[in-house]
Amino acid sequence: MKLQRKPRVRALAVGALAVSGALALTACGTDDTSGGAGGAGKPAKAADIKCEGKGKLLASGSSAQKNAMDVWVQNYSGACKDTEINYQPTGSGAGITTFLQGQTAFAGSDSALKPEEVAKSKKVCKGGQAIDLPMVGGPIAVGYNVPGVDSLVLDAETLAKIFDSEITNWNDAAIKKLNPDAKLPDLKIQAFHRSDDSGTTDNFTKYLKAAAPSAWKHEPAKKWEGKGGQAASGSSGVSSQVKQVSGAISYFELSYATSGKIPTVKLDTGAKAPVEATTANASKAIAEAKPASEGDDLALELNYATKAEGAYPITLVTYEIVCDKGNKAETLPATKSFLTYVASKDGQAALEALGYAPLPPETADKVRKTVATLS
Amino acid sequence: MTSPVLTETPPPPGNDAHPSVSGKAVRPGDRIFLGLSRGSGIALLVIMAAIAAFLTYRSVLAISGDKANFFTTLEWNATGTEPKFGIAVLAFGTVVSSVIAMLIAVPVAVGIALFISHYAPRKLASPLGYVIDLLAAVPSIIYGLWGALFLVPHLSGLYSWLDDYLGWTGIFAYGDGAARSLFTVGILLAIMILPIVTSVSREVFLQVPKMHEEAALALGATRWEVVRMSVLPFGRSGVISASMLGLGRALGETMAVATVLSPSFLINTSLLNPGGGTFAQNIASKFSEANQFGQDALIASGLVLFVITLLVNGAARMIIARRKEYSGAAA
């Protein structure tokens, strides 16, 4: 038995070496990329970060702002050694729930609070209520995979019909009309939507409803309401399907299109030229937005039907949610100082390389003023 | 194999531990051990009761707020202002994908187990068994990724072929989308449950008394007749138990299903077209964005899965109990 065993042990050892070697190599790979991303946001001036408060700051919520948070937290904790910030990208819904249970200092969310959530927040915020602070925006790109088509222009109505299974072939007359020069193949359209409830879906359907109310009959919601099509889970899920399936089209944050080298649709908004999904164009759309309410709550009402030159209307604004009054005394100083940095010039400038759209200066200014009044 | 042993032993010592111990001088070690084991037994019951109470409480909250029929609605909108949700699609998807997985996995697993235990040369048998066992060690998300990136693109050809010849049945109708359907999920689940069914069946087949087999051989039976007349009847209850273990994994599989399936809330008569959903997949994908009520609704659907699993296990136990006398385990 012993003699027989030995070669097997040796084979196992070789296998284990191979596996751990491969793991070590891949670990190096990920280290490198994260180092690169960190480098992009490194120049954090101490001038914009005023360290206040000590200890641990817990936060959770939207996964759309995870990459931005990573950079902010890295810069902030580099300057302020006494504060540790822990942001869990659990999703907007879970983020709001834990915040309303009083477990976190602030929550990240892709959509502004609903009235009933504001009412609930009065329990946690003693003497105050929860408010939305816009912190960063991002274009939702519409990515496609049509062989032989490098540039594609669509308008809201065609998009709505494609995602509601009314237009089912790429050589449909409506698409041809918008793209007279493109060679559109006779190929079935595979429209992909998110299978999980998502802030991206919410914003995308808000756009369809606002810009093409006659073609999109469903109410905007986090849950997909359209007819037909296929579903996949998460932005990474839908974007990888688009890469894989010929004839596919779907919507996801721009960064997924950039990293996956997926071509994106230019939108015919009614402006002179079709608008491309870029961070600069998204910032223009955010600048067009109006405040949704009076007072401290800075939730923005985006004009999805905008015809402004170069404004990309399918834009997502993610918020940080805090109490205007009645924040916990032990986390308040650190929360204020961190959010002030996030809304500062440097904090916003760190984002562009990541595919996020910085807030327009006036909005960022308002956010900083509101943060200063938190108590 | 264990059940006959259990029935032969006197009833569990919990009740009469005191009389049997009190005959002699009670040593402190005995008393401590009695206390420890009784304590753990009670703790287990309390934990189970607490879980059941929690699940039931949250489910009752959810179902009483449901504006539609919980059992027949083909929709899941628990976070809307007017919550409407039902488990019909999930129950259908869960049962169908698991049944497909069982139909594929059990015959294959029994074949592999027989090959390893009765046909293969010993040099081949043990590495093969080892490789099969390794399959069980692969995390389910890896199966999901492999399924989504490799299996799905390669299945569309097979599905088109099935559509050409069996499309008229309606069950095997197939459009030209990606093959992210319940049938694909079934195939993937079959691969995932293969190791557990195989290794338990193999162990059972190895337990067949040598005398039975040698007797059959002495009567002039061929190798296949030996397998059919002595090995398979002996191992039947073991194979059923093994299948139930596999079925348990298939019913509750989450990540692999969520990665491979294209979920949608409709009951599709064609198993090859995208659509459908399972309990576990739905909970995993909806939980992160759900509010309090949405979570309650998902917990209610989890309770239904729990009940389905209980029913399946109960049915399996009944089948095994009925076949016990044929199993030969008592011989």
Side-chain angles (χ1 to χ4, degrees):
Chain A
M1 263 326 262
K2 266 185 186 169
L3 277 176
Q4 262 187 347
R5 271 233 166 135
K6 261 192 182 165
R8 209 197 284 171
V9 170
R10 204 171 291 159
L12 265 180
V14 170
L17 250 179
V19 169
S20 51
L23 281 180
L25 282 175
T26 45
C28 281
T30 45
D31 272 350
D32 276 352
T33 48
S34 68
K42 225 171 203 174
K45 282 176 218 149
D48 267 346
I49 302 179
K50 282 196 188 109
C51 300
E52 265 169 60
K54 273 182 190 175
K56 220 172 181 184
L57 205 56
L58 291 179
S60 68
S62 155
S63 55
Q65 49 178 276
K66 177 192 172 284
N67 294 336
M69 251 323 152
D70 284 350
V71 171
W72 286 330
V73 167
Q74 197 187 349
N75 290 345
Y76 185 82
S77 47
C80 307
K81 304 282 183 213
D82 293 338
T83 325
E84 187 189 326
I85 299 168
N86 186 347
Y87 182 85
Q88 295 293 328
T90 51
S92 307
I96 292 177
T97 307
T98 40
F99 175 75
L100 292 180
Q101 288 166 351
Q103 294 172 14
T104 47
F106 63 90
S109 172
D110 296 340
S111 18
L113 289 166
K114 289 183 190 141
E116 67 261 24
E117 288 166 342
V118 174
K120 259 192 201 167
S121 72
K122 285 176 182 159
K123 256 192 219 165
V124 186
C125 310
K126 302 261 153 49
Q129 63 178 43
I131 53 169
D132 304 289
L133 302 171
M135 278 305 172
V136 59
I140 299 173
V142 180
Y144 63 93
N145 176 354
V146 185
V149 181
D150 306 324
S151 165
L152 188 68
V153 178
L154 294 175
D155 60 7
E157 196 167 328
T158 329
L159 271 178
K161 282 180 181 165
I162 286 174
F163 278 97
D164 215 13
S165 299
E166 276 181 51
I167 296 178
T168 55
N169 200 303
W170 280 109
N171 65 6
D172 192 279
I175 305 178
K176 264 189 184 157
K177 209 175 135 197
L178 289 162
N179 300 280
D181 300 331
K183 273 189 206 158
L184 291 163
D186 178 12
L187 183 68
K188 205 181 153 207
I189 296 180
Q190 314 266 2
F192 281 92
H193 56 263
R194 293 278 292 270
S195 61
D196 46 339
D197 294 356
S198 144
T200 317
T201 303
D202 196 23
N203 281 281
F204 183 64
T205 48
K206 269 182 194 158
Y207 160 74
L208 292 180
K209 184 79 186 168
S214 57
W216 189 256
K217 302 265 177 0
H218 315 280
E219 283 308 309
K222 284 185 174 179
K223 169 187 171 290
W224 183 257
E225 303 263 9
K227 270 192 309 216
Q230 288 204 47
S233 162
S235 294
S236 53
V238 284
S239 57
S240 68
Q241 285 302 319
V242 170
K243 258 198 107 141
Q244 203 179 91
V245 178
S246 177
I249 183 167
S250 186
Y251 55 92
F252 34 79
E253 286 131 43
L254 180 65
S255 56
Y256 291 91
T258 334
S259 62
K261 297 202 174 70
I262 298 168
T264 59
V265 168
K266 293 188 188 71
L267 286 181
D268 183 353
T269 57
K272 265 181 229 152
V275 189
E276 206 174 335
T278 62
T279 52
N281 290 350
S283 282
K284 274 182 207 156
I286 298 174
E288 292 262 301
K290 288 186 210 107
S293 64
E294 301 283 312
D296 281 345
D297 193 302
L298 296 179
L300 292 173
E301 205 162 285
L302 288 164
N303 179 13
Y304 292 101
T306 182
K307 286 180 184 172
E309 215 54 53
Y312 186 79
I314 322 179
T315 300
L316 176 144
V317 176
T318 89
Y319 300 93
E320 311 305 334
I321 291 167
V322 287
C323 297
D324 58 352
K325 288 188 190 83
N327 286 293
K328 278 191 195 115
E330 61 268 27
T331 55
L332 180 65
T335 311
K336 279 174 83 167
S337 104
F338 176 66
L339 292 181
T340 309
Y341 160 65
V342 163
S344 72
K345 224 176 170 185
D346 286 348
Q348 293 288 315
L351 299 177
E352 232 163 332
L354 299 172
Y356 290 99
L359 294 176
E362 315 86 79
T363 319
D365 210 40
K366 258 195 219 162
V367 172
R368 281 197 296 274
K369 272 181 193 151
T370 313
V371 170
T373 64
L374 295 180
S375 60
Chain B
M1 283 178 305
T2 50
S3 45
V5 177
L6 269 183
T7 47
E8 279 160 21
T9 50
N15 299 326
D16 55 358
H18 265 305
S20 67
V21 173
S22 61
K24 301 164 203 159
V26 181
R27 291 186 209 157
D30 277 339
R31 207 171 285 155
I32 293 171
F33 185 71
L34 174 73
L36 276 178
S37 47
R38 182 181 286 167
S40 2
I42 291 173
L44 182 70
L45 286 178
V46 169
I47 292 170
M48 283 299 287
I51 292 174
F54 167 81
L55 284 180
T56 318
Y57 171 67
R58 299 282 292 261
S59 309
V60 167
L61 283 185
I63 296 174
S64 58
D66 192 356
K67 295 280 187 294
N69 189 316
F70 182 63
F71 293 101
T72 56
T73 310
L74 304 181
E75 199 189 334
W76 194 275
N77 190 8
T79 46
T81 42
E82 188 144 285
K84 282 182 181 169
F85 52 92
I87 53 151
V89 173
L90 304 177
F92 177 80
T94 306
V95 171
V96 165
S97 60
S98 303
V99 166
I100 295 170
M102 298 298 285
L103 288 179
I104 298 172
V106 172
V108 175
V110 170
I112 298 173
L114 277 178
F115 179 72
I116 290 175
S117 63
H118 284 81
Y119 286 93
R122 214 181 266 169
K123 265 189 191 161
L124 185 62
S126 64
L128 188 64
Y130 184 63
V131 168
I132 294 280
D133 288 348
L134 269 185
L135 276 182
V138 178
S140 58
I141 185 67
I142 305 290
Y143 278 107
L145 292 174
W146 176 78
L149 299 176
F150 180 83
L151 189 64
V152 166
H154 286 78
L155 276 179
S156 13
L158 170 72
Y159 285 5
S160 303
W161 182 83
L162 278 174
D163 183 38
D164 286 348
Y165 293 95
L166 294 167
W168 52 270
T169 55
I171 298 173
F172 291 109
Y174 178 57
D176 51 357
R180 304 169 69 235
S181 61
L182 283 178
F183 200 78
T184 311
V185 170
I187 293 173
L188 190 66
L189 288 178
I191 299 170
M192 294 178 71
I193 65 178
L194 205 56
I196 191 140
V197 184
T198 308
S199 67
V200 176
S201 305
R202 185 190 58 199
E203 291 303 320
V204 173
F205 292 152
L206 286 174
Q207 301 295 322
V208 178
K210 273 277 166 283
M211 301 287 270
H212 281 210
E213 291 178 40
E214 283 166 9
L217 283 170
L219 287 174
T222 61
R223 184 78 72 91
W224 163 239
E225 281 164 339
V226 171
V227 165
R228 207 181 41 162
M229 292 188 308
S230 74
V231 177
L232 285 182
F234 180 90
R236 189 171 288 142
S237 65
V239 171
I240 293 174
S241 315
S243 312
M244 287 310 126
L245 282 176
L247 182 59
R249 187 168 183 194
L251 285 173
E253 180 46 49
T254 307
M255 281 323 294
V257 179
T259 320
V260 166
L261 188 65
S262 160
S264 61
F265 264 80
L266 51 95
I267 290 183
N268 208 335
T269 49
S270 166
L271 298 178
L272 303 186
N273 278 333
T278 73
F279 285 110
Q281 165 268 324
N282 189 52
I283 293 173
S285 68
K286 299 269 195 277
F287 200 81
S288 64
E289 290 283 330
N291 55 18
Q292 180 84 38
F293 185 76
Q295 293 183 356
D296 288 353
L298 291 170
I299 287 171
S301 78
L303 189 66
V304 176
L305 176 61
F306 183 62
V307 171
I308 291 180
T309 319
L310 274 185
L311 289 179
V312 167
N313 276 324
R317 279 186 173 254
M318 273 173 58
I319 296 171
I320 293 169
R322 203 182 302 151
R323 291 192 183 278
K324 200 167 55 189
E325 56 268 35
Y326 300 111
S327 74

